[in-house]
Amino acid sequence: MSKILIVEDDTMLVEVYEKKLTGAGFEVKVCLSGASVKDEMLAWKPDLVLLDVVLPDKDGFEVLEDIKKESEIKDIPVYIFTNLSAKEDTERARELGAAGFLTKSSFTPSQLTEEIRKILNYKTSPSPNPSSDFKIPTAVTSREVRKKPNGRKVLIIEDEEVFIEMFSEKLKQEGFEVVAAKNGKWGLKEAEKGGFDCIILDMMMPAMNGYEAIQELRSSEKTKNIPIIIFSNSALDSEVKKALDLGANAYHIKTRITPGEVAEEVKELIKESSNLVG
């Protein structure tokens, strides 16, 4: 079983990637800070390291420098895994000895799993010219098997694929049927088809923002009573108040809530809504 070390401080991403990779047959450990990476690698000897750049103590490039100074671990492939995608970042990663550079936003968890399989399958003995092996791959496609619905249906209106998959996967595991729409107008068309028990709505989307979407949902007979959970990248008091005043039931910063917490809140809101109707 191949061993993957994930260096990432975002607990939501950690939960999703760890679950996905473990389910794919990898052994996974996590470091939430850069300071612990070198010691963990020396003790555990992973087959591959996914290293974020923005970390709470030292950044990923500093961690990579530390790794390359240790003879026991310097040849373990380290892939920079970040949303930084400027040319200078990829060049710095290459110069410091990274095996490759993966942009988070380009990979869903399933696609990341496929990319790791590919990396480990073609990993061979060290090349005499390591820089020639530096990889900046594009996302690959994969298929998910949808579990049988439990009779409850959730609509996710979100334009970022990675968040769609993160939350959809957990909801499916809990027995929900999930439909996704990648902009507000598309989401409203899906909602009007009926049959949804809860709607998860991103505030910042193409075609229509979250406030407009809430207003439309609450003005329609088909959707006016469906619980709405808001996701956003910020949570100023004024923003939260406006969304709740318009009719949202809950408001969260989407990088600070886990898929498991989302699933539990969906269950609770559906239960509350059913009690009110009853």
Side-chain angles (χ1 to χ4, degrees):
M1 181 183 292
S2 296
K3 300 188 292 187
I4 313 295
L5 178 65
I6 301 173
V7 186
E8 169 64 63
D9 67 322
D10 187 317
T11 55
M12 184 184 74
L13 292 178
V14 164
E15 179 179 340
V16 173
Y17 294 139
E18 185 174 18
K19 189 176 188 66
K20 178 66 73 173
L21 291 170
T22 300
F26 296 107
E27 187 176 353
V28 179
K29 283 193 177 182
V30 174
C31 286
L32 298 175
S33 68
S36 58
V37 175
K38 184 177 72 173
D39 289 341
E40 188 64 62
M41 288 181 67
L42 286 167
W44 196 48
K45 300 297 194 311
D47 297 291
L48 178 69
V49 178
L50 298 179
L51 176 61
D52 190 17
V53 171
V54 182
L55 296 166
D57 42 15
K58 56 171 62 179
D59 70 40
F61 295 124
E62 293 173 311
V63 173
L64 186 55
E65 288 182 294
D66 291 343
I67 293 169
K68 294 304 177 181
K69 291 175 184 175
E70 296 287 338
S71 59
E72 289 185 55
I73 57 176
K74 66 182 180 67
D75 293 326
I76 294 174
V78 177
Y79 274 67
I80 296 295
F81 187 46
T82 181
N83 275 326
L84 302 177
S85 56
K87 184 178 179 181
E88 55 265 32
D89 295 317
T90 59
E91 287 300 318
R92 188 175 180 195
R94 186 197 308 269
E95 291 167 2
L96 291 173
F101 196 102
L102 303 172
T103 304
K104 288 180 187 177
S105 59
S106 297
F107 291 84
T108 68
S110 292
Q111 291 169 341
L112 177 64
T113 301
E114 293 303 315
E115 187 61 37
I116 288 173
R117 286 196 181 106
K118 181 180 175 184
I119 289 166
L120 292 174
N121 282 341
Y122 67 55
K123 187 182 71 171
T124 57
S125 57
S127 166
N129 181 11
S131 64
S132 67
D133 289 339
F134 187 80
K135 303 293 189 299
I136 309 178
T138 55
V140 294
T141 58
S142 61
R143 292 185 177 181
E144 283 295 307
V145 178
R146 181 174 295 186
K147 292 187 176 181
K148 183 179 179 181
N150 63 3
R152 298 294 190 177
K153 194 173 178 182
V154 178
L155 173 62
I156 299 180
I157 307 175
E158 164 67 64
D159 64 318
E160 294 185 68
E161 186 69 36
V162 65
F163 287 108
I164 290 173
E165 180 161 355
M166 284 177 185
F167 296 111
S168 293
E169 181 176 328
K170 182 61 178 178
L171 289 166
K172 290 173 187 176
Q173 289 173 355
E174 295 294 323
F176 291 98
E177 180 181 355
V178 180
V179 174
K182 293 186 179 179
N183 66 56
K185 288 187 176 180
W186 178 4
L188 291 180
K189 287 181 180 179
E190 290 291 340
E192 282 296 315
K193 293 177 183 178
F196 291 100
D197 299 281
C198 188
I199 296 172
I200 296 172
L201 173 64
D202 186 22
M203 289 301 292
M204 297 299 295
M205 296 175 295
M208 176 183 290
N209 67 41
Y211 297 125
E212 294 169 326
I214 297 170
Q215 288 177 302
E216 292 286 341
L217 290 166
R218 288 297 177 242
S219 65
S220 169
E221 283 297 320
K222 287 186 178 180
T223 60
K224 66 180 183 180
N225 295 317
I226 299 174
I228 300 172
I229 299 173
I230 294 295
F231 281 171
S232 180
N233 289 321
S234 64
L236 297 176
D237 289 344
S238 59
E239 295 172 338
V240 177
K241 184 178 186 303
K242 183 176 180 180
L244 296 178
D245 286 347
L246 287 171
N249 299 80
Y251 191 111
H252 300 286
I253 295 179
K254 60 185 175 182
T255 58
R256 296 182 185 174
I257 187 168
T258 68
E261 290 169 338
V262 171
E264 290 305 310
E265 183 160 54
V266 167
K267 291 178 190 175
E268 188 61 32
L269 287 174
I270 291 176
K271 182 179 178 181
E272 291 175 5
S273 178
S274 298
N275 290 338
L276 288 174
V277 173

